[in-house]
Amino acid sequence: MSDWTAGYVADIGYTYGYYTELNPLRVRLAFLNAGLVPPEVGAACELGFGQGMSANLHAAASVVQWAGTDFNPAQAGFAQELARVSDSGAQLFDEAFDQFCARADLPEFDYIGLHGIWSWISDENRAVIVDFVRKKLKVGGVLYISYNTQPGWAAMVPMRDLLTEHAEVLGSDGAGIVSRIDSALAFADQLLAANPAYARANPQIAERIKKIKEQDRHYVAHEYFNRDWQPMAFAKMAQWLAPAKLQWACSANYLDAIDAVNLTAEQQSLLASIPDPMFRQTTRDFCVNQQFRKDYWVKGARSLTALEQTEALRAQRVILVQPRADVSLKVTGSLGEATLQDAVYGPILDQLADHQPQSLAQLEQALQPSGIHFVQLIQAVMVLSGAGVLLAAQDEATASKAKKRTERLNTHLMTKARSSSELNYLASPVAGGGIAVARFHQLFLLAKQQGHKQPQEWASFVWNLLAMQGQRLLKEGKTLETAEANLAELTEQATEFADKRLPILKALQIA
């Protein structure tokens, strides 16, 4: 009997995560900042979509036609359910990469995305994907790909191999993958306690193991325990993608574009002395000990003139998605935590505090009295976007077209939140993708949608659902046992939600 899993963990589902880097709307600002012509995305594809949250949130919240595959039928079934509910037209399949890539009914794509998948598949599947990109990505189209990379993973590779070998050799199949993972991690603790020379030479490994033990086992199974697992150097990735005529465009992590928070003056000087942009990236990975890359590659990079770049940047729209008072003026890069200049960032955040989408041209005009120049504005927008404080905003016509689809999908997700805490995202037609919305916040929105007007009513609605299922709230690590205590805590949370979060969700056209 053939093994349809091809060595990939399939006896435990992947997490219901959403990855904003997969949103094609994000490409524009990254490309414009790099001085490149961004793609106009009409058709997009995600390979290895997991539970399909990203693909469905993006399909529902935009006018882009999405397709994709994930070989796990249970995950594909959930993804197809979301596509049917939203009526987004997303074509989502449960086919292996070679089957999907051989389909004759797929369009050419402006955008193809893979999040993490590259690190966990065989060379045969990598070759299939590169051939698919070669055939199906349009000229000017963009590939988003994220992957484990060297040198940040170098020390961990032997330990990962030990963990998987323990799970295979000493683990009991009947006990399930979670039990095998726990046994492997317990053995790693035993090994480290014996003070091996490997641990003395790589003192950071103990901390790595500690962090793995704290992570969701669904994530750990897929991240560490597949048969195929290979951190890949940037130069090796470039070799793989060369047959598809792809050029590295820029990082999909906006903060990577800000040297001041990632590189020392000496490192910046060293990199500036390297004429080859590809070797410069390889060297940069050593400077920051890169562990995970998120990159945009393009089929035919074209540069903008300075005038074209400035005009396109001025047309870019952004929206503030955190309460103004909660925005930290600190950001973390490879060098650690950096403090942002209040004289620059304060006025920008104040201007966006009403949570209405604004173009950078509008911001530039409004900030003239503050003496903030356009170059400073661009850098601040990149930093705040990289920190998740700002999101790119679609034009109003596109948002209007997507609104009905997002309403259908969000109602479905909020209904599921009555009994599940796993689906922590809703779709925004303004942001063209997903927004983190915690379970209780989703239930407050559901209560509001069903005609309950005040926070106290929302709290009662949620408490009735929890009580019916024998669930209780935790506060400061302790279970709240009485109905009165649970209602009081829910009312406090609902009131804070109404004051702080609800106005933002309204601006995002989620509420």
Side-chain angles (χ1 to χ4, degrees), residues 378-417:
I378 297 305
Q379 177 165 307
V381 166
M382 290 293 290
V383 170
L384 293 170
S385 298
V389 174
L390 300 184
L391 290 178
Q394 297 189 116
D395 62 87
E396 292 173 9
T398 302
S400 179
K401 289 176 183 176
K403 184 84 162 59
K404 290 294 183 185
R405 292 195 297 274
T406 59
E407 286 175 351
R408 289 191 291 265
L409 180 57
N410 288 344
T411 297
H412 184 73
L413 293 171
M414 290 187 296
T415 301
K416 283 187 172 292

Side-chain angles (χ1 to χ4, degrees), residues 3-15 50-51 70-75 117 120-121 160 164 167-168 176-178 180-181 217-229:
D3 177 13
W4 62 272
T5 69
Y8 193 89
V9 170
D11 56 350
I12 185 172
Y14 196 57
T15 56
Q51 299 287 357
D70 191 279
F71 81 122
N72 187 314
Q75 294 176 176
I117 297 299
W120 307 331
I121 59 177
R160 180 269 172 188
T164 53
E168 290 171 9
I177 185 65
V178 172
R180 300 204 306 274
I181 290 170
R217 290 299 182 262
H218 292 254
Y219 168 79
V220 171
H222 290 265
E223 176 61 65
Y224 296 99
F225 285 83
N226 293 301
R227 182 188 68 196
D228 296 295
W229 185 89

Side-chain angles (χ1 to χ4, degrees), residues 261-310:
V261 300
N262 292 301
L263 301 163
T264 65
E266 292 81 5
Q267 291 166 352
Q268 291 180 50
S269 178
L270 171 66
L271 294 176
S273 72
I274 299 173
D276 182 80
M278 305 302 285
F279 187 67
R280 194 183 309 130
Q281 281 298 304
T282 296
T283 307
R284 186 186 187 281
D285 283 349
F286 277 83
C287 290
V288 302
N289 197 33
Q290 192 72 268
Q291 181 176 331
F292 191 68
R293 286 192 68 106
K294 303 174 182 179
D295 288 322
Y296 292 130
W297 297 74
V298 62
K299 184 181 283 189
R302 292 187 297 140
S303 297
L304 296 162
T305 67
L307 176 61
E308 290 170 334
Q309 181 187 28
T310 301

Side-chain angles (χ1 to χ4, degrees), residues 224-509:
Y224 296 99
F225 285 83
N226 293 301
R227 182 188 68 196
D228 296 295
W229 185 89
Q230 182 184 354
M232 187 171 288
F234 175 76
K236 185 73 171 177
M237 176 62 81
Q239 291 173 14
W240 267 101
L241 297 179
K245 299 183 179 180
L246 291 177
Q247 300 166 263
W248 181 76
C250 58
S251 174
N253 178 4
Y254 289 171
L255 287 179
D256 282 349
I258 313 300
D259 285 346
V261 300
N262 292 301
L263 301 163
T264 65
E266 292 81 5
Q267 291 166 352
Q268 291 180 50
S269 178
L270 171 66
L271 294 176
S273 72
I274 299 173
D276 182 80
M278 305 302 285
F279 187 67
R280 194 183 309 130
Q281 281 298 304
T282 296
T283 307
R284 186 186 187 281
D285 283 349
F286 277 83
C287 290
V288 302
N289 197 33
Q290 192 72 268
Q291 181 176 331
F292 191 68
R293 286 192 68 106
K294 303 174 182 179
D295 288 322
Y296 292 130
W297 297 74
V298 62
K299 184 181 283 189
R302 292 187 297 140
S303 297
L304 296 162
T305 67
L307 176 61
E308 290 170 334
Q309 181 187 28
T310 301
E311 288 177 341
L313 281 167
R314 286 195 169 111
Q316 174 74 46
R317 284 163 37 105
V318 295
I319 183 172
L320 179 66
V321 293
Q322 288 184 15
R324 166 65 180 94
D326 291 354
V327 177
S328 170
L329 288 184
K330 293 186 182 297
V331 67
T332 301
S334 298
L335 293 179
E337 191 174 76
T339 301
L340 306 176
Q341 288 182 276
D342 186 47
V344 174
Y345 285 80
I348 294 171
L349 291 166
D350 290 343
Q351 189 61 33
L352 292 163
D354 63 356
H355 304 292
Q356 295 306 305
Q358 293 185 49
S359 70
L360 300 195
Q362 290 173 306
L363 286 172
E364 180 187 24
Q365 182 71 27
L367 292 167
Q368 279 185 349
S370 303
I372 296 171
H373 302 297
F374 193 61
V375 172
Q376 293 174 298
L377 173 61
I378 297 305
Q379 177 165 307
V381 166
M382 290 293 290
V383 170
L384 293 170
S385 298
V389 174
L390 300 184
L391 290 178
Q394 297 189 116
D395 62 87
E396 292 173 9
T398 302
S400 179
K401 289 176 183 176
K403 184 84 162 59
K404 290 294 183 185
R405 292 195 297 274
T406 59
E407 286 175 351
R408 289 191 291 265
L409 180 57
N410 288 344
T411 297
H412 184 73
L413 293 171
M414 290 187 296
T415 301
K416 283 187 172 292
R418 295 177 307 161
S419 57
S420 172
S421 59
E422 293 184 300
L423 307 171
N424 292 309
Y425 300 90
L426 297 177
S428 164
V430 174
I435 301 293
V437 184
R439 182 194 181 193
F440 286 175
H441 289 185
Q442 291 191 35
L443 295 177
F444 296 150
L445 288 177
L446 189 62
K448 183 174 178 293
Q449 188 183 91
Q450 295 184 7
H452 303 284
K453 300 187 184 304
Q454 299 300 322
Q456 294 88 341
E457 298 174 63
W458 307 342
S460 295
F461 175 86
V462 176
W463 171 239
N464 288 337
L465 286 171
L466 298 179
M468 190 189 312
Q469 299 169 82
Q471 297 174 358
R472 300 290 185 272
L473 274 72
L474 282 173
K475 186 173 185 179
E476 297 173 355
K478 296 180 181 178
T479 302
L480 301 180
E481 298 293 351
T482 67
E484 292 78 12
N486 279 275
L487 263 174
E489 174 62 20
L490 283 167
T491 301
E492 185 178 325
Q493 290 189 24
T495 302
E496 183 179 16
F497 171 75
D499 291 341
K500 281 188 164 186
R501 192 67 182 153
L502 186 58
I504 299 172
L505 295 178
K506 284 181 176 178
L508 289 164
Q509 296 185 27

